[in-house]
Amino acid sequence: MRVAEYIEKLKPYEGGKPIDELKRQLNIEGEIIKLASNENPFGPSEKAVEAIKKTAAGVNYYPDGDSYYLKHKLADRLGVNPDNIIFGNGSDELIELIYRTFATSYDDEIVYCYPTFVEYKIIGLSFGKKLVELPLKDFSYDIDAILEHITDRTRLVFLNTPNNPTGTKIDRSDIERVIDKCSNDTLVVIDEAYYEYAILEDDYSELLDLYKKGNVIILRTFSKAYGLAGLRIGYGVAHPEIINYLNRVRPPFNVNIVAQNAALAALDDIEHVKKTVLDAKKQKEYLYTEFDKIGIKYVKSYANFVLFDVGQDADEIYRKLLQKGIIVRSMSGYGLKSFLRVSVGLDYQNRRFIEALKDILNV
Ligand SMILES: Cc1ncc(COP(=O)(O)O)c(C=O)c1O
């Protein structure tokens, strides 16, 4: 089969290894702990689970393609208008829709720093786009480098804050510098998938109102703090003109009815989100303390994961952790050869992870 050269060169997205796959491969007894995809270790809200059960009997009907009730409730919560919001089958899908809608010419350029959320790259490559990929500076987005590389061919700028996989934030003033440098024909995509964790920190500023600048979209998701990753639902907030264009390209029933109703119910369970993010903060402190004790360097994170440096081949440590039933992520594929990323789990999961790591490192 003939495919374009840029498709030939693509490598499929590699997510965190699913628990069942590891069970099959290694025949491991006992509980497998997955700390690899920044999911909510408490699971979804009980209210969401109830809504999912209730919705099941009605799945013979197509979903509301406009997500009317969810859109109105979320708009109320965020203090924006419903026409400022679009939902996607995960924020992943919104990234793809953004490319399809706003980066349609052969010579369009896309600017971001790397390592970052790898879908900006994979989707861009799948459309054959010119990717202007700049290195992070001290594990953070290098805003001066981004500003230097914005040209009249730049169509999209991705800013990931907190950045996956490093956990670092981008200051609001730096984001404003980027927005102000971009013309009205360049969309600045602020990906805040980990917003609910980050906003707990004193020095993390609200960014949502930046959508009013007109050339900005803010992406968030129900996959992380809301615990609905398996249902695939995320959202974007932007000027109605941006939303309107995206809606022309969006598949009509991209967000299923179970996801819509679960997200509606999850929005009602503020306590669940609060418990999730407060515990993640506490558990992160535990990981920092243990890393300090064993002399492991790490990057302070505004999200629910921590990037750490084992000072040796990360793939090998990753494989040894798998043997002990613990799934994390090796960052060697991102060029960080001695780094791994661990998602913050429940107390006993983090303890098991630390014990296993100490055992492997002989410390
Ligand atoms: C920075 C970032 N953006 C977007 C996503 C995609 O999230 P969703 O599950 O909403 O597609 C992720 C998932 O890991 C992420 O880390």
Side-chain angles (χ1 to χ4, degrees):
M1 185 68 72
R2 187 150 33 126
V3 295
E5 202 183 334
Y6 57 83
I7 303 276
E8 191 71 59
K9 283 189 191 149
L10 273 181
K11 287 197 200 108
Y13 175 79
E14 253 186 68
K17 188 183 273 298
I19 290 174
D20 283 344
E21 186 182 311
L22 183 62
K23 260 194 183 142
R24 272 197 314 274
Q25 285 174 345
L26 295 186
N27 222 348
I28 287 177
E29 280 181 26
E31 188 192 2
I32 290 176
I33 293 174
K34 183 180 179 215
L35 302 173
S37 301
N38 311 334
E39 294 142 333
N40 183 336
F42 288 104
S45 135
E46 273 305 312
K47 289 187 179 168
V49 173
E50 272 313 301
I52 290 166
K53 286 182 189 158
K54 266 201 198 147
T55 307
V59 297
N60 51 317
Y61 292 109
Y62 283 98
D64 170 8
D66 188 40
S67 304
Y68 179 92
Y69 292 108
L70 180 60
K71 193 179 285 187
H72 279 73
K73 185 171 211 130
L74 184 64
D76 235 32
R77 179 67 56 83
L78 299 176
V80 302
N81 291 320
D83 64 0
N84 291 123
I85 295 178
I86 184 167
F87 292 100
N89 194 274
S91 42
D92 270 355
E93 188 196 32
L94 292 172
I95 296 166
E96 181 169 344
L97 282 179
I98 287 166
Y99 265 104
R100 285 176 56 203
T101 309
F102 298 112
T104 49
S105 299
Y106 168 72
D107 56 353
D108 288 347
E109 293 179 4
I110 317 299
V111 179
Y112 56 86
C113 287
Y114 195 81
T116 192
F117 185 49
V118 74
E119 283 293 280
Y120 313 149
K121 178 178 187 144
I122 295 180
I123 295 171
L125 291 175
S126 79
F127 287 121
K129 291 294 154 210
K130 179 167 177 214
L131 303 179
V132 181
E133 195 172 279
L134 306 162
L136 295 177
K137 191 173 161 194
D138 298 330
F139 299 101
S140 299
Y141 261 65
D142 184 347
I143 297 299
D144 288 330
I146 286 189
L147 290 172
E148 271 173 35
H149 286 84
I150 291 170
T151 69
D152 54 9
R153 286 184 303 281
T154 308
R155 289 284 73 79
L156 302 175
V157 180
F158 285 98
L159 300 177
N160 186 197
T161 180
N163 182 44
N164 179 9
T166 57
T168 51
K169 67 159 179 158
I170 312 174
D171 286 337
R172 182 182 162 108
S173 55
D174 280 335
I175 293 175
E176 284 178 316
R177 285 202 292 147
V178 175
I179 296 169
D180 293 343
K181 171 91 195 248
C182 291
S183 77
N184 270 341
D185 292 329
T186 303
L187 185 65
V188 179
V189 183
I190 304 173
D191 183 348
E192 276 196 304
Y194 301 94
Y195 163 79
E196 293 82 4
Y197 301 92
I199 200 65
L200 275 189
E201 307 294 333
D202 293 338
D203 60 346
Y204 190 88
S205 309
E206 268 296 343
L207 302 172
L208 195 79
D209 61 294
L210 292 175
Y211 82 85
K212 291 178 188 158
K213 299 253 189 188
N215 59 347
V216 172
I217 186 164
I218 287 124
L219 301 183
R220 292 188 185 163
T221 181
F222 284 94
S223 295
K224 308 295 176 185
Y226 285 95
L228 299 179
L231 286 179
R232 315 301 305 121
I233 177 164
Y235 61 92
V237 177
H239 188 282
E241 188 191 13
I242 306 269
I243 301 293
N244 186 300
Y245 283 128
L246 288 168
N247 270 327
R248 297 176 197 201
V249 178
R250 179 176 65 83
F253 303 116
N254 61 327
V255 178
N256 70 74
I257 183 69
V258 182
Q260 287 183 34
N261 287 345
L264 257 173
L267 281 177
D268 274 337
D269 199 346
I270 292 171
E271 282 310 309
H272 186 71
V273 176
K274 231 189 216 169
K275 176 176 86 173
T276 298
V277 297
L278 286 174
D279 194 68
K281 189 171 158 81
K282 193 170 110 193
Q283 292 302 324
K284 225 167 19 181
E285 290 300 329
Y286 165 75
L287 290 175
Y288 294 160
T289 307
E290 293 301 315
F291 285 152
D292 282 339
K293 276 195 219 158
I294 54 180
I296 282 189
K297 290 205 193 96
Y298 54 89
V299 181
K300 282 230 165 170
S301 168
Y302 287 77
N304 64 336
F305 53 82
V306 183
L307 182 75
F308 62 101
D309 183 358
V310 287
Q312 52 181 287
D313 182 17
D315 285 343
E316 200 177 319
I317 304 294
Y318 166 76
R319 281 191 294 271
K320 287 183 175 167
L321 282 166
L322 284 184
Q323 297 286 348
K324 292 177 177 289
I326 292 169
I327 312 172
V328 297
R329 282 285 263 281
S330 167
M331 291 291 121
S332 69
Y334 289 75
L336 299 170
K337 296 290 177 202
S338 60
F339 285 80
L340 296 116
R341 190 197 69 195
V342 62
S343 306
V344 178
L346 299 174
D347 182 68
Y348 81 93
Q349 297 174 325
N350 300 326
R351 281 173 201 280
R352 257 197 61 192
F353 157 70
I354 290 289
E355 284 318 307
L357 187 65
K358 281 180 16 191
D359 203 37
I360 291 165
L361 297 176
N362 242 329
V363 288

